[in-house]
Amino acid sequence: MGKTIDTAEYGDLEALETALLGELDAAGDLAALEDFRVGALGKKGRISALMKTLGQMEPDARKSFGQSVNGLKQRVSDALEARKSDLGEAALAARLATETADVTLPVRPGPEMMGRIHPISQVWDELTEIFADMGFSVAEGPDIETEEKNFDKLNIPASHPARQEMDTFYFPTKEDGSRKLLRTHTSPVQIRTMEAQQPPIRIIAPGRVYRSDYDQTHTPMFHQVEGLVIDDSTHMGHLKWCLEEFCKAFFEVDKVKMKFRASHFPFTEPSMEVDIQYAEVGNEVRMGEGDKWMEILGCGMVHPNVLRAVGYDPEKVQGWAFGVGIERITTLKYGMPDLRPMFASDMRWLKHYGFLPFDVPSLAGGLSS
Ligand code: DAH
């Protein structure tokens, strides 16, 4: 027995469609859309229920009613998809709007803003950046060194006054008569590097050094950076150029005034000490002007005895070296009146003179800005 469908059913379909599309418009988010889909097109949904009535109809009525319901189903499905993609886009746009990160904003105060990079570490990184740019690689050596590398092979024999002047911290003498020491300078890294490789050599060696000395300008542990260049023809002109470029880059100025004074070191011949000119204007230090001079480094042409000590032939290779006091150039650049607080671990001092972990020195970004 087929169910008779009167034309009123068609009217109901239109009403149903209007109602459904109205509900669709009102669905405000993807979850509401899903509810709608289940209620209209799901297995037990309203449109599916209509489809189920087809089986009981007369063939003619079934055909035309079936077509109408299918049309309705198709239009509602299309409208649902369209609404879904609109809502999806809107949801994405809203998410993007709330999750944007303005990378130009200052860093929020958090734990990462509490700590400070010690000025010595910062300057160490600055030095590495500057010399790496000039083609130097970084070499290292141990803090506990042998007398041979700290003194003998650097042309400082036991009888040499420099050996006494260095206020060396020694370890107890061993049974074989040898004794180790805390290196008094970074120069033994010259020996280690030359013993490990053949020229050409172009290295810097930043590191800790130790001397028994303590006052306003001396601490028993301090830092130096050693430089060494060896090849078959490099000369003092290169040394002076390199040091001048270094000073300009480090102090971030276009011009510096340097004084190369004749001096004496056992491991270089000739030897020089370098002073750099600066002015103190209030709290500010200005390089390249004024009437103050600070000694910042020692340098010279590597002594033939040193070349021989590492098995090089001084007739074939030559080179130059320098040793810079890192505390000296740090106090000068960052205007610190006293050296001792450097190693007192006083948070107030570190907050004032230290650097944020984000201030990674780079030549491109401006070393200290
Ligand atoms: N080692 C020296 C010192 O500690 C500094 C120095 C002077 C290093 C001259 C050098 C140099 O490489 O050529 O006082």
Side-chain angles (χ1 to χ4, degrees):
M1 263 277 289
K3 188 186 169 206
T4 318
I5 303 275
D6 62 25
T7 47
E9 296 266 3
Y10 294 90
D12 284 356
L13 280 189
E14 274 170 30
L16 179 61
E17 180 165 348
T18 310
L20 286 173
L21 294 180
E23 283 173 34
L24 202 49
D25 271 345
D29 55 29
L30 293 172
L33 275 193
E34 180 58 13
D35 288 346
F36 171 84
R37 187 191 65 78
V38 172
L41 300 161
K43 267 194 198 144
K44 294 180 183 160
R46 280 167 287 176
I47 294 178
S48 311
L50 283 177
M51 293 299 247
K52 282 183 194 148
T53 63
L54 288 174
Q56 301 150 19
M57 289 185 179
E58 302 293 340
D60 281 355
R62 181 191 299 162
K63 194 174 170 201
S64 71
F65 186 67
Q67 277 174 355
S68 303
V69 176
N70 266 329
L72 165 68
K73 185 178 174 185
Q74 191 59 51
R75 287 190 297 281
V76 171
S77 299
D78 290 349
L80 173 67
E81 281 314 309
R83 183 88 182 116
K84 209 183 210 167
S85 97
D86 283 354
L87 281 180
E89 271 170 32
L92 180 63
R95 208 175 134 200
L96 285 176
T98 57
E99 290 181 9
T100 49
D102 183 349
V103 293
T104 64
L105 287 175
V107 178
R108 277 197 204 100
E112 66 278 20
M113 296 292 281
M114 302 280 289
R116 289 292 183 277
I117 303 293
H118 195 283
I120 293 294
S121 303
Q122 187 79 5
V123 165
W124 183 310
D125 290 346
E126 292 181 14
L127 294 169
T128 307
E129 176 74 10
I130 294 169
F131 282 107
D133 191 54
M134 291 200 266
F136 285 71
S137 46
V138 175
E140 282 180 321
D143 291 13
I144 298 174
E145 199 37 288
T146 61
E147 285 197 85
E148 185 193 41
K149 290 189 172 67
N150 194 78
F151 292 129
D152 300 299
K153 290 192 166 174
L154 284 165
N155 197 33
I156 318 175
S159 59
H160 200 287
R163 196 132 160 177
Q164 277 82 55
E165 280 161 21
M166 283 234 184
D167 302 311
T168 313
F169 290 113
Y170 285 98
F171 288 86
T173 311
K174 290 200 219 153
E175 276 177 15
D176 64 4
S178 71
R179 55 178 179 171
K180 293 223 167 158
L181 48 77
L182 288 174
R183 67 177 177 191
T184 56
H185 50 180
T186 42
S187 302
V189 185
Q190 289 189 33
I191 302 297
R192 288 179 173 275
T193 307
M194 289 191 283
E195 285 184 338
Q197 68 187 80
Q198 290 299 311
I201 287 174
R202 199 188 286 169
I203 55 121
I204 57 161
R208 295 184 163 192
V209 300
Y210 306 83
R211 289 181 206 174
S212 177
D213 206 352
Y214 188 62
D215 61 32
Q216 192 176 348
T217 52
H218 297 91
T219 50
M221 185 280 300
F222 59 104
H223 300 77
Q224 291 184 333
V225 59
E226 194 80 10
L228 177 70
V229 173
I230 307 273
D231 63 25
D232 55 12
S233 58
T234 189
H235 54 70
M236 210 142 83
H238 299 143
L239 165 64
K240 288 185 73 175
W241 176 85
C242 177
L243 291 176
E244 197 174 318
E245 287 305 304
F246 158 68
C247 284
K248 284 194 286 189
F250 178 72
F251 292 108
E252 300 175 59
V253 291
D254 296 332
K255 264 198 201 136
V256 284
K257 248 205 185 139
M258 302 165 80
K259 212 169 10 190
F260 286 78
R261 271 185 296 108
S263 180
H264 177 264
F265 299 103
F267 31 88
T268 43
E269 181 59 38
S271 304
M272 292 166 291
E273 277 175 308
V274 175
D275 302 335
I276 188 160
Q277 188 188 43
Y278 68 102
E280 259 173 344
V281 187
N283 281 339
E284 202 194 326
V285 173
R286 291 201 196 136
M287 305 308 298
E289 53 182 274
D291 53 5
K292 295 203 164 185
W293 294 89
M294 185 186 273
E295 183 196 319
I296 57 166
L297 65 91
C299 62
M301 299 302 294
V302 178
H303 197 291
N305 286 350
V306 175
L307 297 174
R308 266 184 224 109
V310 297
Y312 287 2
D313 181 353
E315 299 297 321
K316 295 209 175 96
V317 294
Q318 59 189 34
W320 40 272
F322 58 86
V324 185
I326 296 187
E327 279 75 5
R328 284 289 178 93
I329 58 172
T330 304
T331 50
L332 190 54
K333 178 168 181 177
Y334 294 109
M336 304 166 182
D338 190 347
L339 189 63
R340 286 167 296 192
M342 279 251 188
F343 309 114
S345 299
D346 184 335
M347 274 310 291
R348 292 164 301 180
W349 185 88
L350 272 170
K351 274 248 161 1
H352 184 77
Y353 287 111
F355 293 80
L356 288 172
F358 301 99
D359 297 334
V360 179
S362 79
L363 289 177
L367 273 189
S368 65
S369 57

